[in-house]
Amino acid sequence: MKQKKTTIIIENGEEVEALAPMILSVSRATDIPAFYTEWFFRRLEAGYSKWMNPFNGADYYVSFHNVRFIVFWSKNPAPLIPYIPILKEMGIECYIQYTLNDYEAEGLEPNVPPINQRIATFKKLVELLGNNSVVWRFDPMILTDRIGIDALLRKIEGIANELRDYTDTLVFSFADISSYRKVKTNLDYSGINYKEWTEETMREFASKLSLLNEQKGWNFKLRTCCEKINLEEFGILHNRCIDDERIVKLAWHDADLMRHIGWEVKEVGNILFGEENIHDSALPLPDNNYAMRLYKKSLKDKGQRQFCGCIPAKDIGQYDTCPHGCLYCYANTTPSSAHRNYLFHNPASETIK
C-alpha cells in the first residue's frame, strides 16, 4: 500500500508536496500523548505537520486532510483525555497502545507517574473511548539480577488483576539489549546488570504466563510484538499493533477507511432462509453487520522490522525527544539528549524538534 500524496499550503504561504495518510501512528518514536499533546492538536487543526526521516535526514510534510484513524502509543496518555472530544467532533476514531509496566522499584522508568496513577488513567480512557480502545502493553520484559521470570510474573499479576475488565489483550516483547548498542551503554552506565533472554527462558516465561492467564481467569489474548520465536503452543500469537481487525471493530461505519485497509462490511441477510452464507472468519459487528477481508492476508507495513505484523500507517514522531528517561529506551541516544530537545520544543512549531 503506497502512501498517497497531495499538495498543501504551509504557514509561510508556500505550496509543497505532502504525504496524505488515512491512518496515523502517534507515535512509536516518542511519547506524543504524554509530552506533545498540545503540539499534536495544534497541528491537527493546522492540517499538517513536518517530519524528518531519521535514516536520511530528509524533511517531509504530512497532510492530515485524509486522516480517518489514529493509533496512539504512550506510557502516560493522561494529557490526551481533555482532547478526546475534539477527535469525536472531527469524526476521527482511535485506540491507544498503552505501555503499562511496573519497574518502579528498579528505577528503570524514572519519569513515569506512579503505577496506581497510570492504572487509573487506563480505566478512565476505557470509560471515555469504549471497549477494544485501549490495549495493554507490558513492554519490554527485562531480566536483571533483581528481576527474574517469577518476579516479572508477579509484576504482571498485580496490573492484570486491575485491568481484567478493561482490556482484552496483553502485548509484550523480550528486551533484546545486545542488538541496540546505545541501550546497552545506557544500562551499563546506570549499573543495571541485565540478562539476555534465551529461547529456553522465553519458553519458560510463556508457559508460566499462559498458565497464570488461565488460572486467574483474566482471559487476555496474549500477543508478542516483533518477536521471531513461535509461542503458539502456549496460546501466544504474533501481534499486529496497528491492527486492521481492531480498526474494523471501532470504525466499521467508515466505508472509505474499510476499503483502504482491505475490508468490506455487509449486513446480515435472512439467514433463516439461507440467503446469506457467512464465513467463519467474518468479524461480527453491531447493528446486524459483519466484516470480511477482501484479501487473504492483512496488508503489511514493509517499512517496519521483519517480524512486525502492523498494517501501514504514517508515524509522525521523532527520535531523541521523549523525556521519560527509561533506561532501556532504543528511541533516544541518551536520556539527557531527549530531555534537552524537549526543553527547546515549541508547541507552535511545525515539527516536534
Side-chain angles (χ1 to χ4, degrees), residues 63-351:
S63 168
F64 298 152
H65 178 74
N66 293 335
V67 170
R68 309 300 308 141
F69 203 96
I70 300 172
V71 178
F72 291 103
W73 310 68
S74 185
K75 289 182 178 175
N76 176 30
L80 189 63
I81 290 173
Y83 291 87
I84 287 174
I86 296 176
L87 293 178
K88 294 184 181 294
E89 290 171 6
M90 298 179 73
I92 298 175
E93 299 286 352
C94 73
Y95 67 82
I96 301 171
Q97 291 280 348
Y98 193 154
T99 300
L100 186 52
N101 304 333
D102 181 7
Y103 293 127
E104 282 188 337
E106 297 79 16
L108 295 179
E109 300 172 334
N111 298 324
V112 298
I115 184 69
N116 291 340
Q117 185 176 325
R118 287 177 282 142
I119 289 173
T121 294
F122 194 109
K123 294 178 178 180
K124 178 65 174 178
L125 286 164
V126 173
E127 292 169 3
L128 290 171
L129 293 172
N131 294 335
N132 302 313
S133 294
V134 189
V135 178
W136 176 28
R137 305 175 71 88
F138 199 118
D139 181 29
M141 298 289 177
I142 297 179
L143 293 177
T144 73
D145 57 349
R146 297 178 59 188
I147 310 173
I149 288 175
D150 291 339
L152 274 176
L153 292 168
R154 287 193 296 271
K155 292 174 180 292
I156 292 168
E157 183 176 358
I159 300 173
N161 288 335
E162 292 286 340
L163 299 186
R164 64 192 310 156
D165 298 322
Y166 289 88
T167 190
D168 63 348
T169 303
L170 167 56
V171 181
F172 63 94
S173 68
F174 301 106
D176 183 9
I177 296 162
S178 62
S179 296
Y180 297 93
R181 183 181 300 175
K182 57 189 175 184
V183 175
K184 181 181 184 304
T185 299
N186 290 336
L187 288 173
D188 288 341
Y189 179 79
S190 300
I192 304 298
N193 297 314
Y194 61 87
K195 299 178 181 179
E196 293 285 1
W197 288 89
T198 65
E199 183 171 336
E200 181 181 2
T201 54
M202 289 179 191
R203 292 191 177 281
E204 178 186 351
F205 174 84
S207 174
K208 290 182 175 181
L209 177 61
S210 180
L211 181 61
L212 198 61
N213 188 40
E214 181 180 351
Q215 289 177 338
K216 296 294 182 179
W218 300 328
N219 298 317
F220 293 132
K221 298 173 186 175
L222 302 177
R223 300 290 185 263
T224 58
C225 177
C226 292
E227 292 292 346
K228 178 180 180 180
I229 191 169
N230 186 333
L231 299 174
E232 290 186 15
E233 63 188 283
F234 308 111
I236 301 174
L237 307 181
H238 298 293
N239 197 49
R240 286 192 302 274
C241 299
I242 299 183
D243 182 8
D244 53 344
E245 291 190 14
R246 193 173 295 273
I247 291 173
V248 170
K249 290 177 182 178
L250 295 170
W252 59 270
H253 52 277
D254 189 327
D256 289 340
L257 179 60
M258 294 302 98
R259 282 191 293 271
H260 176 73
I261 62 175
W263 284 78
E264 183 178 19
V265 175
K266 295 183 178 181
E267 186 175 1
V268 177
N270 193 336
I271 300 176
L272 179 64
F273 297 100
E275 293 182 10
E276 191 81 37
N277 183 19
I278 302 176
H279 195 273
D280 291 342
S281 63
L283 283 181
L285 299 171
D287 301 331
N288 214 33
N289 291 286
Y290 69 95
M292 292 289 298
R293 274 199 179 98
L294 296 174
Y295 317 110
K296 290 184 179 180
K297 295 182 179 181
S298 63
L299 303 170
K300 178 175 169 54
D301 189 340
K302 296 179 180 179
Q304 300 302 320
R305 289 175 286 175
Q306 180 181 359
F307 299 104
C308 175
C310 289
I311 68 168
K314 181 69 195 84
D315 198 295
I316 61 167
Q318 301 284 184
Y319 291 123
D320 267 320
T321 60
C322 179
H324 277 314
C326 301
L327 302 184
Y328 55 77
C329 181
Y330 70 89
N332 294 332
T333 305
T334 63
S336 59
S337 65
H339 185 69
R340 183 171 57 252
N341 285 330
Y342 173 66
L343 290 177
F344 284 101
H345 166 71
N346 178 5
S349 66
E350 292 179 322
T351 183

Side-chain angles (χ1 to χ4, degrees), residues 6-14 16 18-19 24 37-50 61-67 83 86 90 92 316 346-351:
T6 187
T7 56
I8 60 173
I9 306 297
I10 60 175
E11 290 170 355
N12 66 4
E14 181 183 357
V16 299
L19 300 172
L24 285 182
T37 292
E38 180 186 353
W39 170 84
F40 175 69
F41 278 88
R42 284 192 181 196
R43 297 323 306 164
L44 203 58
E45 182 179 5
Y48 76 94
S49 71
K50 193 175 180 180
Y61 286 94
V62 182
S63 168
F64 298 152
H65 178 74
N66 293 335
V67 170
Y83 291 87
I86 296 176
M90 298 179 73
I92 298 175
I316 61 167
N346 178 5
S349 66
E350 292 179 322
T351 183

